Short mmCIF file of all heavy atoms in Angstrom, two decimals:
data_model
loop_
_atom_site.label_atom_id
_atom_site.label_comp_id
_atom_site.label_asym_id
_atom_site.label_seq_id
_atom_site.Cartn_x
_atom_site.Cartn_y
_atom_site.Cartn_z
N MET A 13 -0.13 13.50 6.97
CA MET A 13 -0.06 13.65 5.53
C MET A 13 1.22 13.05 4.98
O MET A 13 1.19 12.33 3.99
CB MET A 13 -0.17 15.13 5.17
CG MET A 13 -0.08 15.42 3.70
SD MET A 13 -1.53 14.80 2.87
CE MET A 13 -1.22 15.35 1.23
N ILE A 14 2.34 13.34 5.63
CA ILE A 14 3.62 12.80 5.15
C ILE A 14 3.63 11.29 5.27
O ILE A 14 4.10 10.60 4.36
CB ILE A 14 4.79 13.42 5.95
CG1 ILE A 14 4.90 14.91 5.63
CG2 ILE A 14 6.10 12.72 5.63
CD1 ILE A 14 5.89 15.65 6.48
N LEU A 15 3.09 10.77 6.37
CA LEU A 15 3.06 9.32 6.57
C LEU A 15 2.22 8.64 5.50
O LEU A 15 2.62 7.63 4.94
CB LEU A 15 2.53 8.99 7.96
CG LEU A 15 2.42 7.52 8.29
CD1 LEU A 15 3.79 6.88 8.27
CD2 LEU A 15 1.78 7.33 9.64
N SER A 16 1.05 9.20 5.19
CA SER A 16 0.20 8.57 4.19
C SER A 16 0.81 8.64 2.80
O SER A 16 0.71 7.70 2.03
CB SER A 16 -1.20 9.19 4.20
OG SER A 16 -1.13 10.55 3.83
N MET A 17 1.49 9.74 2.48
CA MET A 17 2.15 9.84 1.18
C MET A 17 3.31 8.86 1.09
O MET A 17 3.52 8.23 0.06
CB MET A 17 2.66 11.27 0.93
CG MET A 17 1.55 12.26 0.64
SD MET A 17 0.55 11.78 -0.78
CE MET A 17 1.73 12.01 -2.09
N SER A 18 4.04 8.70 2.19
CA SER A 18 5.14 7.73 2.20
C SER A 18 4.61 6.32 2.02
O SER A 18 5.21 5.51 1.32
CB SER A 18 5.91 7.83 3.52
OG SER A 18 6.47 9.10 3.67
N GLY A 19 3.49 6.02 2.66
CA GLY A 19 2.88 4.71 2.50
C GLY A 19 2.42 4.46 1.09
O GLY A 19 2.60 3.36 0.55
N VAL A 20 1.84 5.47 0.47
CA VAL A 20 1.38 5.34 -0.91
C VAL A 20 2.56 5.11 -1.84
O VAL A 20 2.52 4.25 -2.73
CB VAL A 20 0.57 6.60 -1.34
CG1 VAL A 20 0.35 6.62 -2.84
CG2 VAL A 20 -0.75 6.64 -0.61
N VAL A 21 3.63 5.87 -1.63
CA VAL A 21 4.82 5.70 -2.47
C VAL A 21 5.43 4.32 -2.27
O VAL A 21 5.78 3.64 -3.24
CB VAL A 21 5.85 6.82 -2.18
CG1 VAL A 21 7.17 6.54 -2.85
CG2 VAL A 21 5.31 8.17 -2.62
N LEU A 22 5.55 3.88 -1.02
CA LEU A 22 6.11 2.57 -0.74
C LEU A 22 5.28 1.45 -1.36
O LEU A 22 5.82 0.55 -2.01
CB LEU A 22 6.22 2.36 0.77
CG LEU A 22 6.72 0.99 1.23
CD1 LEU A 22 8.16 0.78 0.76
CD2 LEU A 22 6.63 0.86 2.73
N LEU A 23 3.97 1.51 -1.18
CA LEU A 23 3.11 0.49 -1.77
C LEU A 23 3.15 0.54 -3.29
O LEU A 23 3.10 -0.50 -3.96
CB LEU A 23 1.68 0.63 -1.25
CG LEU A 23 1.50 0.28 0.22
CD1 LEU A 23 0.08 0.61 0.66
CD2 LEU A 23 1.81 -1.17 0.48
N GLY A 24 3.25 1.73 -3.85
CA GLY A 24 3.37 1.86 -5.30
C GLY A 24 4.65 1.23 -5.82
O GLY A 24 4.63 0.55 -6.86
N ILE A 25 5.74 1.41 -5.10
CA ILE A 25 7.01 0.80 -5.50
C ILE A 25 6.92 -0.72 -5.41
O ILE A 25 7.39 -1.44 -6.30
CB ILE A 25 8.16 1.34 -4.63
CG1 ILE A 25 8.43 2.81 -4.98
CG2 ILE A 25 9.42 0.51 -4.81
CD1 ILE A 25 9.38 3.51 -4.04
N ILE A 26 6.28 -1.23 -4.35
CA ILE A 26 6.13 -2.67 -4.20
C ILE A 26 5.30 -3.25 -5.34
O ILE A 26 5.65 -4.28 -5.93
CB ILE A 26 5.52 -3.02 -2.83
CG1 ILE A 26 6.52 -2.71 -1.72
CG2 ILE A 26 5.09 -4.48 -2.76
CD1 ILE A 26 5.95 -2.79 -0.33
N VAL A 27 4.19 -2.59 -5.68
CA VAL A 27 3.36 -3.07 -6.79
C VAL A 27 4.14 -3.02 -8.09
O VAL A 27 4.08 -3.95 -8.90
CB VAL A 27 2.06 -2.24 -6.89
CG1 VAL A 27 1.32 -2.53 -8.18
CG2 VAL A 27 1.16 -2.53 -5.70
N PHE A 28 4.92 -1.96 -8.30
CA PHE A 28 5.73 -1.86 -9.52
C PHE A 28 6.75 -2.99 -9.59
O PHE A 28 6.93 -3.60 -10.66
CB PHE A 28 6.44 -0.50 -9.56
CG PHE A 28 7.34 -0.34 -10.74
CD1 PHE A 28 6.81 -0.10 -12.00
CD2 PHE A 28 8.72 -0.43 -10.60
CE1 PHE A 28 7.64 0.04 -13.10
CE2 PHE A 28 9.56 -0.30 -11.69
CZ PHE A 28 9.02 -0.06 -12.95
N LEU A 29 7.40 -3.29 -8.47
CA LEU A 29 8.38 -4.38 -8.47
C LEU A 29 7.71 -5.73 -8.72
O LEU A 29 8.25 -6.57 -9.45
CB LEU A 29 9.14 -4.40 -7.14
CG LEU A 29 10.12 -3.25 -6.93
CD1 LEU A 29 10.71 -3.31 -5.54
CD2 LEU A 29 11.22 -3.27 -7.99
N PHE A 30 6.54 -5.95 -8.12
CA PHE A 30 5.81 -7.18 -8.40
C PHE A 30 5.44 -7.26 -9.88
O PHE A 30 5.49 -8.33 -10.48
CB PHE A 30 4.55 -7.28 -7.56
CG PHE A 30 4.79 -7.72 -6.14
CD1 PHE A 30 3.87 -7.42 -5.16
CD2 PHE A 30 5.91 -8.45 -5.79
CE1 PHE A 30 4.07 -7.82 -3.86
CE2 PHE A 30 6.12 -8.86 -4.49
CZ PHE A 30 5.19 -8.55 -3.52
N PHE A 31 5.06 -6.14 -10.44
CA PHE A 31 4.67 -6.09 -11.85
C PHE A 31 5.85 -6.43 -12.75
O PHE A 31 5.73 -7.18 -13.70
CB PHE A 31 4.10 -4.71 -12.18
CG PHE A 31 3.65 -4.54 -13.60
CD1 PHE A 31 2.51 -5.19 -14.04
CD2 PHE A 31 4.35 -3.75 -14.48
CE1 PHE A 31 2.08 -5.04 -15.34
CE2 PHE A 31 3.93 -3.59 -15.78
CZ PHE A 31 2.79 -4.25 -16.21
N ARG A 32 7.02 -5.86 -12.44
CA ARG A 32 8.20 -6.05 -13.28
C ARG A 32 8.90 -7.38 -13.06
O ARG A 32 9.34 -8.01 -14.01
CB ARG A 32 9.21 -4.92 -13.04
CG ARG A 32 8.71 -3.55 -13.44
CD ARG A 32 8.72 -3.36 -14.90
NE ARG A 32 10.11 -3.33 -15.33
CZ ARG A 32 10.49 -3.21 -16.57
NH1 ARG A 32 9.60 -3.09 -17.50
NH2 ARG A 32 11.76 -3.20 -16.88
N LYS A 33 9.03 -7.81 -11.81
CA LYS A 33 9.85 -8.97 -11.48
C LYS A 33 9.06 -10.27 -11.33
O LYS A 33 9.54 -11.33 -11.72
CB LYS A 33 10.64 -8.73 -10.18
CG LYS A 33 11.55 -7.54 -10.24
CD LYS A 33 12.72 -7.79 -11.15
CE LYS A 33 13.65 -6.59 -11.14
NZ LYS A 33 14.68 -6.68 -12.13
N ASP A 34 7.90 -10.22 -10.73
CA ASP A 34 7.17 -11.43 -10.40
C ASP A 34 5.99 -11.73 -11.32
O ASP A 34 5.21 -12.62 -11.05
CB ASP A 34 6.66 -11.37 -8.96
CG ASP A 34 7.80 -11.42 -7.96
OD1 ASP A 34 8.86 -11.95 -8.31
OD2 ASP A 34 7.63 -10.93 -6.83
N GLY A 35 5.84 -10.95 -12.36
CA GLY A 35 4.79 -11.25 -13.33
C GLY A 35 3.40 -10.83 -12.91
O GLY A 35 2.42 -11.45 -13.35
N LEU A 36 3.26 -9.82 -12.06
CA LEU A 36 1.94 -9.33 -11.70
C LEU A 36 1.29 -8.73 -12.94
O LEU A 36 1.88 -7.90 -13.63
CB LEU A 36 2.05 -8.26 -10.61
CG LEU A 36 0.74 -7.62 -10.17
CD1 LEU A 36 -0.08 -8.62 -9.37
CD2 LEU A 36 1.02 -6.39 -9.32
N LYS A 37 0.12 -9.19 -13.23
CA LYS A 37 -0.57 -8.69 -14.42
C LYS A 37 -1.15 -7.31 -14.14
O LYS A 37 -1.51 -7.00 -13.00
CB LYS A 37 -1.68 -9.65 -14.82
CG LYS A 37 -1.15 -10.98 -15.29
CD LYS A 37 -2.27 -11.88 -15.73
CE LYS A 37 -1.71 -13.21 -16.16
NZ LYS A 37 -2.77 -14.14 -16.53
N LEU A 38 -1.23 -6.50 -15.16
CA LEU A 38 -1.77 -5.15 -15.01
C LEU A 38 -3.21 -5.20 -14.51
O LEU A 38 -3.59 -4.38 -13.68
CB LEU A 38 -1.68 -4.41 -16.35
CG LEU A 38 -2.16 -2.96 -16.34
CD1 LEU A 38 -1.32 -2.14 -15.37
CD2 LEU A 38 -2.08 -2.38 -17.73
N SER A 39 -3.98 -6.16 -14.97
CA SER A 39 -5.37 -6.26 -14.51
C SER A 39 -5.44 -6.55 -13.01
O SER A 39 -6.30 -6.01 -12.31
CB SER A 39 -6.11 -7.35 -15.29
OG SER A 39 -5.49 -8.61 -15.09
N HIS A 40 -4.52 -7.37 -12.50
CA HIS A 40 -4.51 -7.65 -11.06
C HIS A 40 -4.13 -6.41 -10.27
O HIS A 40 -4.71 -6.15 -9.20
CB HIS A 40 -3.52 -8.78 -10.75
CG HIS A 40 -3.89 -10.08 -11.36
ND1 HIS A 40 -2.97 -11.07 -11.60
CD2 HIS A 40 -5.07 -10.56 -11.80
CE1 HIS A 40 -3.58 -12.10 -12.14
NE2 HIS A 40 -4.87 -11.81 -12.28
N ALA A 41 -3.16 -5.65 -10.76
CA ALA A 41 -2.76 -4.42 -10.08
C ALA A 41 -3.91 -3.41 -10.07
O ALA A 41 -4.12 -2.72 -9.07
CB ALA A 41 -1.54 -3.82 -10.76
N MET A 42 -4.66 -3.34 -11.15
CA MET A 42 -5.79 -2.41 -11.22
C MET A 42 -6.88 -2.83 -10.25
O MET A 42 -7.50 -1.98 -9.59
CB MET A 42 -6.32 -2.32 -12.65
CG MET A 42 -5.37 -1.59 -13.58
SD MET A 42 -5.88 -1.59 -15.30
CE MET A 42 -7.50 -0.90 -15.22
N VAL A 43 -7.14 -4.12 -10.15
CA VAL A 43 -8.16 -4.61 -9.21
C VAL A 43 -7.74 -4.29 -7.77
O VAL A 43 -8.56 -3.85 -6.96
CB VAL A 43 -8.39 -6.13 -9.40
CG1 VAL A 43 -9.19 -6.71 -8.25
CG2 VAL A 43 -9.09 -6.39 -10.72
N CYS A 44 -6.45 -4.49 -7.45
CA CYS A 44 -5.96 -4.15 -6.11
C CYS A 44 -6.12 -2.66 -5.83
O CYS A 44 -6.51 -2.27 -4.73
CB CYS A 44 -4.50 -4.56 -5.97
SG CYS A 44 -4.24 -6.34 -5.90
N ALA A 45 -5.80 -1.83 -6.81
CA ALA A 45 -5.93 -0.38 -6.62
C ALA A 45 -7.39 0.02 -6.44
O ALA A 45 -7.71 0.83 -5.56
CB ALA A 45 -5.33 0.35 -7.82
N LEU A 46 -8.28 -0.54 -7.23
CA LEU A 46 -9.70 -0.24 -7.08
C LEU A 46 -10.24 -0.74 -5.74
O LEU A 46 -11.05 -0.06 -5.11
CB LEU A 46 -10.50 -0.86 -8.23
CG LEU A 46 -10.36 -0.16 -9.56
CD1 LEU A 46 -11.05 -0.96 -10.66
CD2 LEU A 46 -10.94 1.24 -9.50
N PHE A 47 -9.78 -1.90 -5.30
CA PHE A 47 -10.20 -2.41 -4.01
C PHE A 47 -9.78 -1.46 -2.90
O PHE A 47 -10.58 -1.14 -2.01
CB PHE A 47 -9.59 -3.80 -3.77
CG PHE A 47 -9.91 -4.37 -2.42
CD1 PHE A 47 -11.20 -4.76 -2.11
CD2 PHE A 47 -8.94 -4.50 -1.47
CE1 PHE A 47 -11.50 -5.28 -0.86
CE2 PHE A 47 -9.22 -5.03 -0.23
CZ PHE A 47 -10.50 -5.42 0.07
N GLY A 48 -8.55 -0.99 -2.95
CA GLY A 48 -8.08 -0.03 -1.95
C GLY A 48 -8.84 1.27 -1.99
O GLY A 48 -9.17 1.86 -0.96
N PHE A 49 -9.15 1.72 -3.21
CA PHE A 49 -9.90 2.97 -3.37
C PHE A 49 -11.29 2.85 -2.76
O PHE A 49 -11.74 3.73 -2.02
CB PHE A 49 -9.99 3.31 -4.86
CG PHE A 49 -10.79 4.54 -5.15
CD1 PHE A 49 -10.27 5.80 -4.92
CD2 PHE A 49 -12.08 4.44 -5.65
CE1 PHE A 49 -11.01 6.93 -5.19
CE2 PHE A 49 -12.83 5.56 -5.92
CZ PHE A 49 -12.29 6.81 -5.69
N TYR A 50 -11.98 1.76 -3.05
CA TYR A 50 -13.33 1.59 -2.51
C TYR A 50 -13.31 1.25 -1.03
O TYR A 50 -14.21 1.63 -0.29
CB TYR A 50 -14.08 0.51 -3.29
CG TYR A 50 -14.52 1.01 -4.64
CD1 TYR A 50 -14.04 0.45 -5.81
CD2 TYR A 50 -15.40 2.08 -4.75
CE1 TYR A 50 -14.42 0.93 -7.04
CE2 TYR A 50 -15.79 2.56 -5.98
CZ TYR A 50 -15.30 1.98 -7.12
OH TYR A 50 -15.68 2.46 -8.35
N LEU A 51 -12.28 0.56 -0.56
CA LEU A 51 -12.15 0.25 0.86
C LEU A 51 -11.96 1.52 1.67
O LEU A 51 -12.43 1.62 2.81
CB LEU A 51 -10.98 -0.71 1.08
CG LEU A 51 -10.82 -1.31 2.47
CD1 LEU A 51 -12.04 -2.15 2.82
CD2 LEU A 51 -9.57 -2.14 2.52
N ALA A 52 -11.31 2.51 1.10
CA ALA A 52 -11.08 3.78 1.79
C ALA A 52 -12.38 4.52 2.06
O ALA A 52 -12.44 5.37 2.95
CB ALA A 52 -10.14 4.66 0.98
N GLY A 53 -13.43 4.21 1.31
CA GLY A 53 -14.71 4.88 1.49
C GLY A 53 -15.67 4.15 2.41
O GLY A 53 -16.80 4.58 2.60
N THR A 54 -15.22 3.05 3.02
CA THR A 54 -16.10 2.27 3.89
C THR A 54 -15.94 2.69 5.35
O THR A 54 -15.09 3.51 5.68
CB THR A 54 -15.80 0.76 3.77
OG1 THR A 54 -14.48 0.52 4.24
CG2 THR A 54 -15.95 0.28 2.34
N ALA A 55 -16.72 2.08 6.20
CA ALA A 55 -16.68 2.40 7.62
C ALA A 55 -15.42 1.85 8.30
O ALA A 55 -15.08 2.28 9.40
CB ALA A 55 -17.92 1.82 8.32
N ILE A 56 -14.73 0.94 7.67
CA ILE A 56 -13.53 0.36 8.27
C ILE A 56 -12.28 1.21 7.98
O ILE A 56 -11.22 0.96 8.55
CB ILE A 56 -13.33 -1.09 7.77
CG1 ILE A 56 -12.36 -1.84 8.67
CG2 ILE A 56 -12.87 -1.13 6.34
CD1 ILE A 56 -12.31 -3.32 8.41
N ALA A 57 -12.40 2.22 7.15
CA ALA A 57 -11.24 3.06 6.78
C ALA A 57 -10.54 3.69 7.98
O ALA A 57 -9.31 3.68 8.03
CB ALA A 57 -11.67 4.12 5.78
N PRO A 58 -11.25 4.23 8.98
CA PRO A 58 -10.53 4.79 10.14
C PRO A 58 -9.71 3.74 10.91
O PRO A 58 -8.63 4.03 11.40
CB PRO A 58 -11.63 5.37 11.02
CG PRO A 58 -12.76 5.63 10.09
CD PRO A 58 -12.67 4.55 9.05
N SER A 59 -10.22 2.53 10.98
CA SER A 59 -9.48 1.46 11.65
C SER A 59 -8.22 1.10 10.89
O SER A 59 -7.16 0.84 11.49
CB SER A 59 -10.36 0.21 11.80
OG SER A 59 -11.48 0.50 12.59
N ILE A 60 -8.30 1.07 9.57
CA ILE A 60 -7.13 0.78 8.75
C ILE A 60 -6.10 1.90 8.89
O ILE A 60 -4.90 1.64 9.02
CB ILE A 60 -7.55 0.59 7.27
CG1 ILE A 60 -8.41 -0.66 7.13
CG2 ILE A 60 -6.32 0.50 6.37
CD1 ILE A 60 -9.05 -0.81 5.77
N THR A 61 -6.56 3.13 8.90
CA THR A 61 -5.66 4.27 9.08
C THR A 61 -4.98 4.23 10.44
O THR A 61 -3.77 4.45 10.56
CB THR A 61 -6.43 5.59 8.92
OG1 THR A 61 -7.06 5.61 7.64
CG2 THR A 61 -5.52 6.79 9.04
N ALA A 62 -5.75 3.92 11.48
CA ALA A 62 -5.18 3.83 12.82
C ALA A 62 -4.18 2.68 12.92
O ALA A 62 -3.12 2.82 13.55
CB ALA A 62 -6.29 3.65 13.86
N GLY A 63 -4.47 1.58 12.28
CA GLY A 63 -3.54 0.45 12.27
C GLY A 63 -2.26 0.78 11.55
O GLY A 63 -1.17 0.41 11.99
N GLY A 64 -2.37 1.49 10.44
CA GLY A 64 -1.17 1.92 9.72
C GLY A 64 -0.33 2.89 10.52
O GLY A 64 0.90 2.80 10.54
N ALA A 65 -0.98 3.81 11.20
CA ALA A 65 -0.26 4.77 12.03
C ALA A 65 0.40 4.07 13.21
O ALA A 65 1.53 4.39 13.59
CB ALA A 65 -1.21 5.85 12.53
N SER A 66 -0.28 3.09 13.79
CA SER A 66 0.29 2.32 14.89
C SER A 66 1.50 1.52 14.44
O SER A 66 2.53 1.48 15.12
CB SER A 66 -0.76 1.38 15.46
OG SER A 66 -0.22 0.58 16.47
N LEU A 67 1.42 0.90 13.28
CA LEU A 67 2.54 0.15 12.73
C LEU A 67 3.72 1.07 12.43
O LEU A 67 4.87 0.73 12.73
CB LEU A 67 2.11 -0.59 11.47
CG LEU A 67 3.18 -1.45 10.80
CD1 LEU A 67 3.63 -2.57 11.74
CD2 LEU A 67 2.66 -2.01 9.50
N ALA A 68 3.44 2.25 11.88
CA ALA A 68 4.51 3.20 11.60
C ALA A 68 5.17 3.68 12.88
O ALA A 68 6.39 3.83 12.95
CB ALA A 68 3.96 4.40 10.82
N GLY A 69 4.38 3.89 13.94
CA GLY A 69 4.94 4.27 15.23
C GLY A 69 5.79 3.16 15.83
O GLY A 69 6.84 3.43 16.42
N LEU A 70 5.36 1.93 15.66
CA LEU A 70 6.11 0.79 16.15
C LEU A 70 7.45 0.67 15.43
O LEU A 70 8.49 0.49 16.07
CB LEU A 70 5.31 -0.50 15.98
CG LEU A 70 5.96 -1.79 16.42
CD1 LEU A 70 6.05 -1.82 17.95
CD2 LEU A 70 5.18 -2.97 15.90
N ILE A 71 7.43 0.80 14.12
CA ILE A 71 8.66 0.73 13.33
C ILE A 71 9.56 1.91 13.65
O ILE A 71 10.78 1.76 13.75
CB ILE A 71 8.33 0.63 11.83
CG1 ILE A 71 7.67 -0.72 11.53
CG2 ILE A 71 9.60 0.79 10.98
CD1 ILE A 71 7.12 -0.83 10.12
N GLY A 72 8.97 3.09 13.80
CA GLY A 72 9.74 4.28 14.11
C GLY A 72 10.37 4.25 15.49
O GLY A 72 11.37 4.92 15.75
N GLY A 73 9.81 3.46 16.40
CA GLY A 73 10.31 3.38 17.75
C GLY A 73 11.43 2.37 17.94
O GLY A 73 11.98 2.24 19.03
N ILE A 74 11.77 1.62 16.91
CA ILE A 74 12.83 0.61 17.00
C ILE A 74 14.18 1.32 17.08
O ILE A 74 14.50 2.15 16.24
CB ILE A 74 12.79 -0.35 15.81
CG1 ILE A 74 11.49 -1.15 15.82
CG2 ILE A 74 14.00 -1.28 15.83
CD1 ILE A 74 11.31 -2.04 14.61
N LYS A 75 14.96 0.97 18.07
CA LYS A 75 16.29 1.54 18.25
C LYS A 75 17.33 0.54 17.77
O LYS A 75 17.30 -0.63 18.13
CB LYS A 75 16.56 1.85 19.73
CG LYS A 75 15.54 2.76 20.36
CD LYS A 75 15.72 4.17 19.93
CE LYS A 75 14.79 5.06 20.74
NZ LYS A 75 14.32 6.19 20.06
N PHE A 76 18.25 0.99 16.95
CA PHE A 76 19.31 0.11 16.43
C PHE A 76 20.57 0.28 17.20
O PHE A 76 20.98 1.23 17.67
CB PHE A 76 19.57 0.41 14.96
CG PHE A 76 18.43 0.03 14.07
CD1 PHE A 76 17.59 0.97 13.55
CD2 PHE A 76 18.20 -1.31 13.77
CE1 PHE A 76 16.54 0.63 12.72
CE2 PHE A 76 17.16 -1.67 12.95
CZ PHE A 76 16.32 -0.70 12.44
#
């Protein structure tokens, strides 16, 4: 739960920065959000979740 909320917040910040700095149109941001929403309801959603968790584990395992 914490990982998914952190991912949502991070992606939200990235979209906001693209919107403010790079000229992302509101309609494009809405289409991306709707695509993600509908993609979450498909059969590929568990694979995307597992990939995100694997990436987070990989990043979390990096030692500085």
Side-chain angles (χ1 to χ4, degrees):
M13 179 69 176
I14 293 172
L15 179 63
S16 64
M17 287 303 291
S18 298
V20 168
V21 170
L22 177 64
L23 291 174
I25 290 170
I26 291 170
V27 169
F28 177 75
L29 290 175
F30 281 157
F31 181 71
R32 296 284 292 178
K33 301 289 182 189
D34 292 336
L36 178 71
K37 294 182 181 177
L38 183 61
S39 61
H40 296 157
M42 289 175 55
V43 167
C44 289
L46 286 173
F47 177 69
F49 177 76
Y50 285 116
L51 189 62
T54 64
I56 197 170
S59 298
I60 294 171
T61 303
S66 176
L67 181 63
L70 179 71
I71 292 171
I74 296 175
K75 304 285 187 211
F76 292 104

